[in-house]
Amino acid sequence: MEDRLSALPDDLLLQIVTLLPLIQLVRTCVLSRRWSRFWTRAQILHVIDKEVDAGGEPDRFALVVESILSAVYTSRLGRARCDFQISISRVDNFDAQDLMSWARRAADLFEGDFKLSVETETESEGGEPDPDEEPEIFELPYFEFAKQITLTLSDRFLHLALPTGAGVFASLTKLVLAKLHFADGAGAALSDVVSSRCPCLLSLVVRHVYGVTALTLRTASLTQLTLLCVYDLRLLDVVALKLRTMTVECCFVDSKGAELRICAPLLLKFNWADCCPESTQVGPTDHLKLLVVGENPPVTWVHAGFTAHSNFDMILNHVRRTQVLELHLPIHPELQGHGKLMEHIVLPNQYTELNLVVEPNGHMFGMSMFKLLKRCVGLRKLHLKLSKRKGDTTCLSCIFGNPQEWKHQEILLNSLEHILVSDFSDNSHEVDVINSILKCAPSLQDIGIEVAHGVKVSKDTVLHFNEYHLVNFFRKGERPMEYYYSGTW
């Protein structure tokens, strides 16, 4: 039988065999001399402990990783231009010394991305862990040539320390730290590493991280910053001259005593879903195109023995100019301050588009929304998205008011030209809200309504809306191009 596979050129053969998991790919070396080091030319070397059969040998996985690193070292004339990744799910397959040894060797061997993922279930590995057991410390070495580093260390007895001695991450453009604890006092080093040791860093992502109480960044290269659930944070101080996108969510547990200072003159998109710290300074924001402000439900912010909304809206006091304003407003009447949340929001001085994401949760929202729209002078585009309902929004005794108090009122929306409604369910309250907006918008040019999945719009609703303006109804995924008015729609 003709061996057509061996007749293929090396580049094409490499593309085919590298589709295999790494362990199977390494086994191809026994096929022929030509294949003996073929696998070392793969673009990604990803070692996964679940793919390694221990065979009763406790150090089997460690031996496999060492063998792969040694083979790469002996087969290359210089550093490997590929990514190196290690994924561990079993607690008996590593210790901190192994991880540090592999990381140091990877820093010398590879010019591509480095990814280390340790996600173990400690409780399932031999019963309850000893609460007095000291966590092991994984100290990340300097990677002079890596373009991207991603660390996920969710094992509770493995904590992270960043390098503090002389060195630099000279080529690093993206750093991702996820699901990890910093060692005691080690979180402070993150500020220094990003500010002084990463001259080319473009993107920093920190999510679900403990042990960082203060983050002070001084960077001339960073363009994207994402902070999600940095649980111990009390101070965020950022001076980033090239920053374009910034996201802060669920980092400040309490505003009292917390500090926020942001100087990012070229910021284009700012996403805030968090408490607003007691001391806040943001600006200038002359180039801001999209400001997204919201509260991540369900909100259970506990302070002084009661629950209240997280005062997320207070950030609007400090950002006074944007092209598009997007508000995420979950309605939780059980939380103090939510009854008149929309009525008390301070709007920026300048904006022309409003994306209003409302989560009714079984309550009326029309009266509060109209009090918000009364202050939207100069509004040209409105996108109303109705999200995550719990039941029908027809609560006649709702704390948000009887529709008779607002649906016949007139507000001045003289500049409003375009309306888009998403996830419309055709209940009576939503119909009343849209009708009232249509009556108050004499300059309206078009309106599109995206119907929720499984909802059939009644003929009465269509006729009712068309008394004021011809309305285009469509399903999700069928939105006509004319309703994409901006990049956010």
Side-chain angles (χ1 to χ4, degrees):
M1 181 179 295
E2 184 180 358
D3 183 4
R4 296 185 177 181
L5 190 61
S6 296
L8 295 175
D10 283 359
D11 290 344
L12 182 56
L13 187 58
L14 183 63
Q15 292 183 38
I16 295 173
V17 298
T18 52
L19 296 175
L20 294 170
L22 179 60
I23 300 304
Q24 296 182 28
L25 177 59
V26 172
R27 289 171 181 158
T28 63
C29 67
V30 303
L31 298 178
S32 69
R33 287 185 179 179
R34 180 190 177 194
W35 292 53
S36 60
R37 287 285 184 259
F38 216 62
W39 62 272
T40 64
R41 295 168 55 191
Q43 293 299 307
I44 300 176
L45 298 180
H46 189 184
V47 195
I48 305 173
D49 66 345
K50 288 183 178 180
E51 295 178 357
V52 177
D53 181 13
E57 192 175 349
D59 298 327
R60 174 67 174 168
F61 179 71
L63 292 172
V64 169
V65 177
E66 292 287 347
S67 298
I68 289 173
L69 291 171
S70 297
V72 172
Y73 175 76
T74 58
S75 65
R76 300 270 185 166
L77 297 176
R79 292 179 181 84
R81 295 181 179 179
C82 66
D83 302 340
F84 184 62
Q85 303 177 9
I86 302 175
S87 296
I88 300 174
S89 59
R90 295 196 294 262
V91 71
D92 56 346
N93 279 333
F94 78 96
D95 62 34
Q97 295 304 314
D98 287 337
L99 297 180
M100 287 191 289
S101 173
W102 301 337
R104 285 192 293 266
R105 294 186 66 182
D108 292 333
L109 283 175
F110 299 99
E111 292 185 1
D113 302 343
F114 175 72
K115 181 177 181 180
L116 174 61
S117 175
V118 180
E119 299 193 67
T120 64
E121 297 180 4
T122 307
E123 290 84 358
S124 64
E125 303 286 346
E128 290 293 327
D130 183 356
D132 296 325
E133 183 180 346
E134 289 293 326
E136 293 187 279
I137 307 299
F138 168 72
E139 182 174 340
L140 181 70
Y142 284 111
F143 280 74
E144 186 177 354
F145 303 99
K147 304 294 191 299
Q148 177 174 329
I149 295 176
T150 302
L151 298 180
T152 303
L153 307 176
S154 66
D155 185 275
R156 69 176 67 185
F157 292 119
L158 181 66
H159 289 187
L160 173 67
L162 297 175
T164 56
V168 66
F169 294 91
S171 303
L172 191 65
T173 60
K174 184 173 183 178
L175 175 62
V176 180
L177 304 176
K179 298 181 182 179
L180 56 82
H181 289 71
F182 275 90
D184 289 344
L190 180 59
S191 297
D192 176 65
V193 167
V194 174
S195 300
S196 305
R197 314 284 180 171
C198 300
C200 299
L201 190 66
L202 300 177
S203 176
L204 173 63
V205 179
V206 184
R207 59 176 185 264
H208 300 286
V209 167
Y210 294 87
V212 179
T213 58
L215 186 58
T216 301
L217 304 180
R218 301 290 183 266
T219 169
S221 62
L222 198 67
T223 62
Q224 179 180 356
L225 174 62
T226 300
L227 304 176
L228 173 61
C229 298
V230 184
Y231 296 106
D232 301 317
L233 194 64
R234 302 301 295 155
L235 167 65
L236 177 59
D237 186 357
V238 178
V239 177
L241 302 182
K242 294 183 179 179
L243 192 65
R244 299 295 196 275
T245 303
M246 182 172 180
T247 298
V248 180
E249 296 185 13
C250 301
C251 294
F252 295 97
V253 176
D254 186 358
S255 60
K256 188 175 182 180
E259 297 179 67
L260 172 68
R261 294 189 289 271
I262 299 173
C263 179
L266 298 182
L267 191 64
L268 299 176
K269 180 179 179 181
F270 185 28
N271 187 337
W272 182 271
D274 213 326
C275 289
C276 182
E278 187 175 46
S279 174
T280 296
Q281 299 175 24
V282 179
T285 58
D286 295 342
H287 295 275
L288 193 63
K289 294 186 178 297
L290 175 60
L291 173 62
V292 182
V293 177
E295 187 165 44
N296 280 350
V299 182
T300 54
W301 180 55
V302 180
H303 179 61
F306 60 83
T307 57
H309 79 81
S310 68
N311 87 329
F312 68 95
D313 53 300
M314 297 303 292
I315 196 71
L316 291 165
N317 290 323
H318 307 280
V319 184
R320 305 301 292 156
R321 175 183 296 188
T322 181
Q323 179 178 324
V324 182
L325 173 62
E326 182 169 321
L327 297 177
H328 292 242
L329 301 172
I331 297 177
H332 294 285
E334 69 276 11
L335 301 183
Q336 293 189 17
H338 260 268
K340 296 184 178 180
L341 178 59
M342 282 195 241
E343 303 170 28
H344 291 165
I345 286 178
V346 177
L347 296 171
N349 292 329
Q350 297 183 26
Y351 64 98
T352 58
E353 300 181 36
L354 175 63
N355 299 340
L356 189 57
V357 183
V358 180
E359 299 174 14
N361 292 320
H363 297 281
M364 292 182 178
F365 57 89
M367 182 176 70
S368 291
M369 192 184 80
F370 261 63
K371 291 185 177 181
L372 176 68
L373 291 177
K374 276 185 179 181
R375 292 172 280 133
C376 295
V377 179
L379 184 64
R380 293 181 56 245
K381 301 176 183 179
L382 173 64
H383 179 188
L384 175 61
K385 182 176 181 181
L386 306 170
S387 169
K388 294 183 180 178
R389 298 181 189 83
K390 294 181 181 178
D392 197 16
T393 55
T394 55
C395 177
L396 297 181
S397 60
C398 183
I399 67 169
F400 296 99
N402 192 301
Q404 300 301 327
E405 298 178 8
W406 59 265
K407 70 177 184 178
H408 297 301
Q409 293 182 7
E410 290 191 8
I411 59 176
L412 297 178
L413 296 173
N414 294 335
S415 301
L416 187 59
E417 298 174 351
H418 310 287
I419 299 176
L420 174 62
V421 181
S422 297
D423 212 12
F424 177 70
S425 64
D426 197 21
N427 66 47
S428 59
H429 186 64
E430 293 178 4
V431 171
D432 286 340
V433 169
I434 296 172
N435 271 332
S436 298
I437 294 175
L438 293 177
K439 289 188 294 184
C440 300
S443 302
L444 192 64
Q445 296 179 11
D446 47 56
I447 174 172
I449 296 182
E450 186 180 68
V451 182
H453 179 72
V455 172
K456 184 176 181 180
V457 180
S458 69
K459 291 183 179 180
D460 288 343
T461 297
V462 175
L463 293 173
H464 208 42
F465 286 166
N466 287 340
E467 290 180 14
Y468 305 100
H469 199 283
L470 182 62
V471 178
N472 294 292
F473 292 89
F474 47 88
R475 298 284 179 186
K476 279 190 175 181
E478 300 175 356
R479 184 180 304 175
M481 285 302 297
E482 58 264 28
Y483 297 111
Y484 288 99
Y485 298 117
S486 72
T488 63
W489 288 26

